[in-house]
PDB file of all heavy atoms in Angstrom:
ATOM      1  N   MET Q 100      -0.419  -0.705 -13.321  1.00  0.00           N
ATOM      2  CA  MET Q 100      -0.002  -2.074 -13.595  1.00  0.00           C
ATOM      3  C   MET Q 100      -1.262  -2.930 -13.819  1.00  0.00           C
ATOM      4  O   MET Q 100      -2.171  -2.923 -12.992  1.00  0.00           O
ATOM      5  CB  MET Q 100       0.788  -2.627 -12.414  1.00  0.00           C
ATOM      6  CG  MET Q 100       1.760  -3.698 -12.782  1.00  0.00           C
ATOM      7  SD  MET Q 100       3.341  -3.024 -13.302  1.00  0.00           S
ATOM      8  CE  MET Q 100       3.888  -2.205 -11.820  1.00  0.00           C
ATOM      9  N   ALA Q 101      -1.304  -3.627 -14.934  1.00  0.00           N
ATOM     10  CA  ALA Q 101      -2.366  -4.600 -15.182  1.00  0.00           C
ATOM     11  C   ALA Q 101      -1.794  -5.994 -15.010  1.00  0.00           C
ATOM     12  O   ALA Q 101      -0.575  -6.177 -14.927  1.00  0.00           O
ATOM     13  CB  ALA Q 101      -2.950  -4.422 -16.581  1.00  0.00           C
ATOM     14  N   ARG Q 102      -2.672  -6.968 -14.963  1.00  0.00           N
ATOM     15  CA  ARG Q 102      -2.250  -8.357 -14.773  1.00  0.00           C
ATOM     16  C   ARG Q 102      -2.569  -9.158 -16.017  1.00  0.00           C
ATOM     17  O   ARG Q 102      -3.702  -9.161 -16.490  1.00  0.00           O
ATOM     18  CB  ARG Q 102      -2.974  -8.936 -13.558  1.00  0.00           C
ATOM     19  CG  ARG Q 102      -2.903 -10.462 -13.400  1.00  0.00           C
ATOM     20  CD  ARG Q 102      -3.732 -10.864 -12.200  1.00  0.00           C
ATOM     21  NE  ARG Q 102      -4.271 -12.202 -12.324  1.00  0.00           N
ATOM     22  CZ  ARG Q 102      -3.960 -13.208 -11.509  1.00  0.00           C
ATOM     23  NH1 ARG Q 102      -3.109 -13.019 -10.531  1.00  0.00           N
ATOM     24  NH2 ARG Q 102      -4.498 -14.399 -11.660  1.00  0.00           N
ATOM     25  N   ASN Q 103      -1.553  -9.819 -16.568  1.00  0.00           N
ATOM     26  CA  ASN Q 103      -1.771 -10.740 -17.670  1.00  0.00           C
ATOM     27  C   ASN Q 103      -2.384 -12.013 -17.090  1.00  0.00           C
ATOM     28  O   ASN Q 103      -1.750 -12.717 -16.299  1.00  0.00           O
ATOM     29  CB  ASN Q 103      -0.442 -11.050 -18.377  1.00  0.00           C
ATOM     30  CG  ASN Q 103      -0.624 -11.920 -19.599  1.00  0.00           C
ATOM     31  OD1 ASN Q 103      -1.256 -12.978 -19.550  1.00  0.00           O
ATOM     32  ND2 ASN Q 103      -0.064 -11.484 -20.720  1.00  0.00           N
ATOM     33  N   GLU Q 104      -3.631 -12.285 -17.460  1.00  0.00           N
ATOM     34  CA  GLU Q 104      -4.356 -13.397 -16.841  1.00  0.00           C
ATOM     35  C   GLU Q 104      -3.813 -14.763 -17.254  1.00  0.00           C
ATOM     36  O   GLU Q 104      -4.120 -15.765 -16.621  1.00  0.00           O
ATOM     37  CB  GLU Q 104      -5.848 -13.304 -17.183  1.00  0.00           C
ATOM     38  CG  GLU Q 104      -6.541 -12.073 -16.609  1.00  0.00           C
ATOM     39  CD  GLU Q 104      -6.513 -12.029 -15.094  1.00  0.00           C
ATOM     40  OE1 GLU Q 104      -6.343 -13.106 -14.463  1.00  0.00           O
ATOM     41  OE2 GLU Q 104      -6.650 -10.935 -14.525  1.00  0.00           O
ATOM     42  N   GLU Q 105      -3.015 -14.820 -18.311  1.00  0.00           N
ATOM     43  CA  GLU Q 105      -2.444 -16.102 -18.733  1.00  0.00           C
ATOM     44  C   GLU Q 105      -1.112 -16.374 -18.050  1.00  0.00           C
ATOM     45  O   GLU Q 105      -0.871 -17.473 -17.554  1.00  0.00           O
ATOM     46  CB  GLU Q 105      -2.279 -16.122 -20.255  1.00  0.00           C
ATOM     47  CG  GLU Q 105      -3.605 -16.086 -21.009  1.00  0.00           C
ATOM     48  CD  GLU Q 105      -3.398 -16.173 -22.507  1.00  0.00           C
ATOM     49  OE1 GLU Q 105      -2.225 -16.256 -22.954  1.00  0.00           O
ATOM     50  OE2 GLU Q 105      -4.405 -16.166 -23.241  1.00  0.00           O
ATOM     51  N   THR Q 106      -0.246 -15.362 -18.013  1.00  0.00           N
ATOM     52  CA  THR Q 106       1.087 -15.564 -17.432  1.00  0.00           C
ATOM     53  C   THR Q 106       1.158 -15.139 -15.969  1.00  0.00           C
ATOM     54  O   THR Q 106       2.118 -15.470 -15.268  1.00  0.00           O
ATOM     55  CB  THR Q 106       2.140 -14.752 -18.212  1.00  0.00           C
ATOM     56  OG1 THR Q 106       1.883 -13.350 -18.035  1.00  0.00           O
ATOM     57  CG2 THR Q 106       2.093 -15.091 -19.695  1.00  0.00           C
ATOM     58  N   HIS Q 107       0.150 -14.363 -15.513  1.00  0.00           N
ATOM     59  CA  HIS Q 107       0.101 -13.805 -14.161  1.00  0.00           C
ATOM     60  C   HIS Q 107       1.201 -12.769 -13.922  1.00  0.00           C
ATOM     61  O   HIS Q 107       1.474 -12.401 -12.786  1.00  0.00           O
ATOM     62  CB  HIS Q 107       0.184 -14.903 -13.085  1.00  0.00           C
ATOM     63  CG  HIS Q 107      -0.790 -16.019 -13.291  1.00  0.00           C
ATOM     64  ND1 HIS Q 107      -0.486 -17.335 -13.016  1.00  0.00           N
ATOM     65  CD2 HIS Q 107      -2.050 -16.026 -13.779  1.00  0.00           C
ATOM     66  CE1 HIS Q 107      -1.519 -18.105 -13.309  1.00  0.00           C
ATOM     67  NE2 HIS Q 107      -2.489 -17.334 -13.765  1.00  0.00           N
ATOM     68  N   GLU Q 108       1.821 -12.297 -15.007  1.00  0.00           N
ATOM     69  CA  GLU Q 108       2.876 -11.311 -14.901  1.00  0.00           C
ATOM     70  C   GLU Q 108       2.289  -9.899 -14.971  1.00  0.00           C
ATOM     71  O   GLU Q 108       1.258  -9.676 -15.607  1.00  0.00           O
ATOM     72  CB  GLU Q 108       3.900 -11.490 -16.026  1.00  0.00           C
ATOM     73  CG  GLU Q 108       4.696 -12.783 -15.933  1.00  0.00           C
ATOM     74  CD  GLU Q 108       5.575 -12.818 -14.700  1.00  0.00           C
ATOM     75  OE1 GLU Q 108       6.181 -11.784 -14.361  1.00  0.00           O
ATOM     76  OE2 GLU Q 108       5.639 -13.891 -14.059  1.00  0.00           O
ATOM     77  N   PRO Q 109       2.945  -8.906 -14.321  1.00  0.00           N
ATOM     78  CA  PRO Q 109       2.457  -7.525 -14.389  1.00  0.00           C
ATOM     79  C   PRO Q 109       2.718  -6.906 -15.757  1.00  0.00           C
ATOM     80  O   PRO Q 109       3.749  -7.171 -16.389  1.00  0.00           O
ATOM     81  CB  PRO Q 109       3.262  -6.809 -13.300  1.00  0.00           C
ATOM     82  CG  PRO Q 109       4.525  -7.596 -13.187  1.00  0.00           C
ATOM     83  CD  PRO Q 109       4.135  -9.025 -13.452  1.00  0.00           C
ATOM     84  N   VAL Q 110       1.765  -6.087 -16.210  1.00  0.00           N
ATOM     85  CA  VAL Q 110       1.899  -5.366 -17.475  1.00  0.00           C
ATOM     86  C   VAL Q 110       1.835  -3.874 -17.164  1.00  0.00           C
ATOM     87  O   VAL Q 110       0.766  -3.333 -16.903  1.00  0.00           O
ATOM     88  CB  VAL Q 110       0.770  -5.747 -18.463  1.00  0.00           C
ATOM     89  CG1 VAL Q 110       0.956  -4.992 -19.780  1.00  0.00           C
ATOM     90  CG2 VAL Q 110       0.740  -7.253 -18.691  1.00  0.00           C
ATOM     91  N   PRO Q 111       2.990  -3.174 -17.143  1.00  0.00           N
ATOM     92  CA  PRO Q 111       2.989  -1.748 -16.802  1.00  0.00           C
ATOM     93  C   PRO Q 111       2.368  -0.911 -17.912  1.00  0.00           C
ATOM     94  O   PRO Q 111       2.552  -1.195 -19.095  1.00  0.00           O
ATOM     95  CB  PRO Q 111       4.477  -1.424 -16.620  1.00  0.00           C
ATOM     96  CG  PRO Q 111       5.198  -2.469 -17.387  1.00  0.00           C
ATOM     97  CD  PRO Q 111       4.344  -3.702 -17.370  1.00  0.00           C
TER      98      PRO Q 111
END
Side-chain angles (χ1 to χ4, degrees):
M100 207 86 63
R102 167 183 152 117
N103 184 308
E104 295 298 338
E105 294 183 0
T106 66
H107 309 143
E108 293 295 319
V110 181

